[in-house]
């Protein structure tokens, strides 16, 4: 091959290389590789068990024009995971100097870097980053109210998942210390981290009848705290994810959204919040900071029960404090105990004289028949109806067993606006509300076990209501099968 031929071949190869590099397929392949690297580092934490140098070299190779930004960003994230905030600061600054290369990653970087700089008390650099995002219309402008409400510690651990850190145990301790409440309210502190001795000391100069903790009575606060601690860190993390999901969705204007759009929004937000509070371990850390570690739950509950006993023994009227629970209804301490299925506390409150028959509001209740006809009435917000509504079967059994004389008048009581009885409401809620056969079988057993207790307390099987009698609904009449299928299209069989 002559020299001229070799030159021609090289030119052809170079030309072909340029065509390949400029082709849509090649660009797409590079972008996908960059996405893979980004996800490997920032979502899969590949640096925990692999050398990052090859990822940095690969980034330079596939995206040379954007490598200054991406390599520094990746290094900043890894340094943060190593809790080396000095190195991370320099890498985040270097990445910001090349932020024009970020393109579609600009918004993500702005939020992450801003949070990092705020947490490390570098507000000047944080504002530089945010203002760039504003200039690109990636984020909204900030005002003084934003900084008043901004919790840099909470935001940091929301942005940087505890599981991303190389030394997870050390990061966990740091996160717990950041989330640890710094309160001057000694009553609150003694309940949240249950300690009867400290509570008694703090309560010496307090009137527990009128004192409020964050807007609620010490008794209400203690029952609420007991329910949270009893659920443990897993339940708390799930509750946080659900709460944040609903909170975020309520801030969106979805009034004109289609059903499909609503479902998509819910799934997107719900998935993000599960990642933030459940999968990252953040919810568990928050529980540890606010309350206790899971292995301490039993001892903390014992201490909390002693505090609740002390408060009940110290107050005059357990029904004096009420809190609005929405839908024109209110809660007393007893009704909160019903809601959380706290049979032990409920029993003590009833013995103290807490009212079980007072309707603190009403709620609409309806059931649609098979033919499409809707049967509707209202449900009084009394103790027994609240127990059924929240499926608090332990407390319901305690109430019917230990206080039959108190329960008896409520078994048959109806009004024009509430044409229903507790037994009929129980049957409709459990049996006809079953979603599938498995749930139905479980609910059938619960209903069968509670039915004798209802009858001993005076419930009448043949008492008529807007929905028929309990006898009809349970299938105890001769023509019950046809009736039940006509009403609700359900094939139920009770023995």
């Amino acid at each position: 091959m002559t020299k001229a031929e070799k030159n021609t071949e090289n030119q052809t190869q170079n030309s072909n290389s340029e065509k390949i590099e400029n082709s849509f397929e090649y660009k797409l392949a590079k972008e996908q590789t960059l996405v893979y690297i980004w996800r490997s580092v920032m979502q899969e934490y590949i640096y925990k068990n692999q050398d990052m140098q090859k990822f940095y070299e690969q980034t330079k190779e596939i995206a040379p024009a954007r490598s200054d930004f991406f390599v520094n960003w990746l290094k900043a994230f890894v340094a943060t995971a190593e809790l080396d905030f000095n190195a991370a600061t320099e890498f985040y600054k270097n990445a910001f100097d090349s932020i024009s290369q970020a393109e579609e990653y600009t918004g993500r970087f702005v939020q992450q870097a801003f949070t990092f700089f705020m947490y490390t008390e570098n507000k000047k650099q944080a504002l530089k980053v945010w203002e760039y995002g504003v200039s690109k219309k990636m984020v909204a402008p900030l005002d003084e109210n934003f900084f008043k409400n901004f919790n840099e510690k909470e935001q940091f651990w929301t942005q940087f998942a505890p599981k991303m850190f190389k030394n997870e145990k050390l990061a966990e301790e740091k996160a717990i210390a950041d989330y640890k409440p710094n309160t001057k309210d000694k009553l609150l502190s003694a309940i949240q981290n249950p300690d009867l001795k400290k509570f008694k000391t703090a309560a010496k100069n307090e009137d527990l009848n009128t004192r409020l903790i964050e807007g609620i009575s010490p008794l209400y606060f203690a029952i609420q705290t007991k329910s949270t601690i009893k659920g443990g860190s897993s339940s708390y993390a799930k509750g946080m994810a659900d709460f944040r999901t609903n909170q975020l969705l309520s801030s969106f204007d979805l009034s004109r959204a289609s059903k499909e759009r609503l479902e998509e929004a819910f799934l997107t937000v719900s998935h993000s919040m599960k990642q933030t509070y459940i999968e990252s371990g953040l919810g568990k850390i928050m529980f540890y900071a606010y309350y206790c570690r899971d292995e301490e739950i039993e001892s903390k509950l014992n201490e909390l029960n002693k505090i609740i006993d002390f408060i009940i023994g110290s107050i005059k009227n357990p029904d004096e404090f009420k809190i609005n629970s929405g839908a024109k209804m209110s809660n007393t301490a007893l009704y909160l105990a019903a809601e959380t299925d706290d049979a032990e506390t409920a029993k003590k409150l009833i013995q103290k004289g807490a009212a079980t028959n007072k309707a603190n509001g009403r709620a609409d209740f309806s059931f649609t028949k098979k033919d499409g006809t809707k049967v509707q009435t209202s449900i009084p917000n009394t103790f027994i109806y609240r127990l059924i509504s929240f499926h608090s079967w332990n407390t319901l059994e305690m109430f019917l067993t230990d206080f039959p004389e108190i329960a008896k008048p409520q078994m048959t009581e109806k009004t024009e606006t509430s044409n229903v009885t507790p037994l009929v409401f129980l049957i409709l809620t459990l049996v006809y509300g079953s979603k599938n056969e498995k749930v139905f079988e479980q609910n059938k057993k619960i209903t069968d076990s509670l039915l004798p207790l209802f009858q001993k307390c005076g419930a009448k099987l043949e008492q008529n209501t807007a929905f028929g009698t309990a006898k009809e609904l349970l299938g105890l009449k001769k023509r019950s099968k046809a009736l039940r299928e006509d009403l609700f299209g359900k094939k139920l069989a009770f023995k």
Side-chain angles (χ1 to χ4, degrees):
M1 182 181 292
T2 66
K3 187 174 182 180
E5 288 174 331
K6 285 183 180 180
N7 289 336
T8 301
E9 183 180 359
N10 289 335
Q11 288 174 359
T12 302
Q13 288 176 347
N14 290 337
S15 177
N16 290 335
S17 296
E18 287 180 11
K19 287 180 181 179
I20 292 172
E21 289 181 6
N22 291 326
S23 69
F24 173 78
E25 291 80 5
Y26 184 77
K27 288 181 178 179
L28 181 61
K30 288 202 298 183
E31 288 174 4
Q32 288 175 338
T33 306
L34 193 59
V35 170
Y36 163 74
I37 292 173
W38 186 87
R39 286 179 178 170
S40 296
V41 176
M42 302 211 185
Q43 293 181 349
E44 298 171 13
Y45 318 137
I46 199 74
Y47 48 81
K48 284 191 173 186
N49 49 38
Q50 288 194 33
D51 180 19
M52 281 300 299
Q53 192 57 40
K54 65 178 182 180
F55 284 89
Y56 301 145
E57 294 302 326
Q58 190 179 14
T59 303
K60 292 176 183 178
E61 182 182 341
I62 64 172
R66 304 175 71 184
S67 62
D68 286 344
F69 169 76
F70 276 100
V71 170
N72 276 295
W73 188 14
L74 296 175
K75 287 183 176 181
F77 192 82
V78 173
T80 303
E82 293 170 342
L83 291 171
D84 187 350
F85 290 168
N86 288 331
T89 297
E90 292 307 310
F91 287 131
Y92 272 118
K93 285 181 177 179
N94 292 340
F96 180 65
D97 288 341
S98 304
I99 197 170
S100 60
Q101 301 171 7
E103 297 180 10
E104 72 275 18
Y105 287 87
T106 302
R108 291 170 177 170
F109 174 80
V110 165
Q111 291 188 12
Q112 188 183 107
F114 173 80
T115 303
F116 174 83
F117 287 127
M118 288 295 291
Y119 182 77
T120 54
E121 299 180 348
N122 192 339
K123 186 176 178 180
K124 185 177 179 180
Q125 187 66 38
L127 286 174
K128 276 186 181 181
V129 171
W130 195 267
E131 285 165 4
Y132 181 85
V134 173
S135 71
K136 296 298 179 180
K137 298 182 179 179
M138 296 282 184
V139 294
L142 303 180
D143 56 28
E144 285 304 313
N145 287 329
F146 173 86
F147 290 104
K148 287 179 183 178
N149 300 318
F150 186 81
N151 186 327
E152 61 277 359
K153 292 180 179 179
E154 180 178 351
Q155 292 300 320
F156 178 83
W157 295 107
T158 300
Q159 186 69 234
F160 296 92
K163 286 186 177 180
M164 67 167 267
F165 292 87
K166 284 190 175 181
N167 188 333
E168 285 188 42
K169 187 175 180 180
L170 184 60
E172 183 179 289
E173 292 300 327
K174 187 172 180 60
I176 290 173
D178 281 345
Y179 270 98
K180 206 76 174 174
N182 184 19
T183 177
K184 294 180 180 179
D185 192 328
K186 293 182 179 179
L187 278 181
L188 182 154
S189 180
I191 292 175
Q192 216 162 34
N193 186 14
D195 189 315
L196 177 62
K197 187 176 179 180
K198 288 183 178 179
F199 184 85
K200 284 183 175 180
T201 301
K204 276 185 179 179
N205 299 317
E206 300 280 5
D207 182 357
L208 297 180
N209 294 285
T210 58
R211 173 72 148 84
L212 296 180
I213 298 175
E214 296 187 344
I216 57 179
S217 71
L219 177 59
Y220 201 96
F221 188 80
I223 297 171
Q224 203 172 61
T225 302
K226 180 181 176 181
S227 174
T228 302
I229 292 178
K230 189 176 181 180
S233 63
S234 296
S235 177
Y236 181 84
K238 183 181 181 302
M240 279 301 301
D242 292 342
F243 172 74
R244 292 298 190 196
T245 297
N246 294 329
Q247 189 180 50
L248 282 171
L249 288 174
S250 66
S251 67
F252 298 159
D253 183 9
L254 299 172
S255 57
R256 299 181 181 178
S258 64
K259 182 181 178 182
E260 291 75 16
R261 179 70 184 90
L262 288 171
E263 290 177 352
E264 182 185 350
F266 174 79
L267 289 173
T268 301
V269 175
S270 177
H271 177 70
S272 175
M273 292 303 99
K274 283 178 181 177
Q275 283 186 318
T276 300
Y277 291 101
I278 299 176
E279 295 171 19
S280 73
L282 180 59
K284 178 185 73 173
I285 283 171
M286 293 171 70
F287 181 83
Y288 288 175
Y290 295 149
Y291 303 102
C292 62
R293 293 184 177 274
D294 286 322
E295 59 268 23
E296 300 173 301
I297 287 177
E298 188 175 350
S299 63
K300 294 298 182 182
L301 286 176
N302 288 334
E303 200 71 9
L304 196 50
N305 279 327
K306 293 176 185 177
I307 292 174
I308 290 173
D309 289 348
F310 178 79
I311 298 173
I312 292 175
S314 301
I315 60 176
K316 296 175 183 178
N317 179 9
D319 294 327
E320 185 171 345
F321 175 79
K322 291 181 182 179
I323 186 170
N324 181 16
S325 58
K328 297 181 180 178
M329 293 194 293
S330 60
N331 259 9
T332 61
L334 177 64
Y335 286 24
L336 177 63
E339 185 178 317
T340 58
D341 200 12
D342 187 348
E344 185 179 9
T345 300
K347 183 174 182 177
K348 293 169 185 174
L349 287 167
I350 295 171
Q351 290 171 336
K352 180 73 174 183
T356 65
N357 61 345
K358 189 169 183 181
N360 296 317
R362 297 179 183 276
D364 292 334
F365 178 74
S366 64
F367 228 96
T368 304
K369 296 182 182 179
K370 186 180 179 181
D371 63 6
T373 306
K374 182 182 284 188
V375 183
Q376 187 168 334
T377 189
S378 66
I379 301 298
N381 183 34
T382 61
F383 181 62
I384 193 166
Y385 281 103
R386 197 161 191 83
L387 290 171
I388 297 168
S389 296
F390 284 90
H391 293 197
S392 299
W393 310 131
N394 293 323
T395 309
L396 179 58
E397 184 176 350
M398 177 279 297
F399 180 52
L400 298 179
T401 303
D402 295 352
F403 302 97
E405 293 305 313
I406 296 177
K408 188 174 181 179
Q410 302 173 48
M411 289 293 116
T412 55
E413 186 178 11
K414 297 194 306 174
T415 66
E416 289 184 6
T417 56
S418 295
N419 189 6
V420 68
T421 62
L423 180 55
V424 166
F425 183 56
L426 174 79
I427 296 166
L428 292 173
T429 300
L430 269 182
V431 180
Y432 291 91
S434 300
K435 294 180 180 179
N436 52 53
E437 284 296 321
K438 184 179 180 181
V439 175
F440 164 69
E441 289 299 329
Q442 294 171 345
N443 289 348
K444 175 183 179 296
K445 290 178 182 178
I446 296 171
T447 306
D448 285 344
S449 68
L450 290 172
L451 182 58
L453 295 177
F454 271 85
Q455 289 179 284
K456 284 182 181 179
C457 290
K460 306 296 182 184
L461 290 177
E462 296 186 345
Q463 184 179 6
N464 197 33
T465 71
F467 307 93
T469 69
K471 196 169 188 177
E472 291 169 338
L473 294 171
L474 287 172
L476 300 177
K477 274 193 172 182
K478 192 173 182 181
R479 58 187 293 276
S480 60
K481 182 177 179 181
L483 173 67
R484 282 179 283 122
E485 289 185 12
D486 285 344
L487 280 176
F488 308 113
K490 301 265 186 177
K491 292 183 178 180
L492 309 177
F494 278 79
K495 295 180 180 179

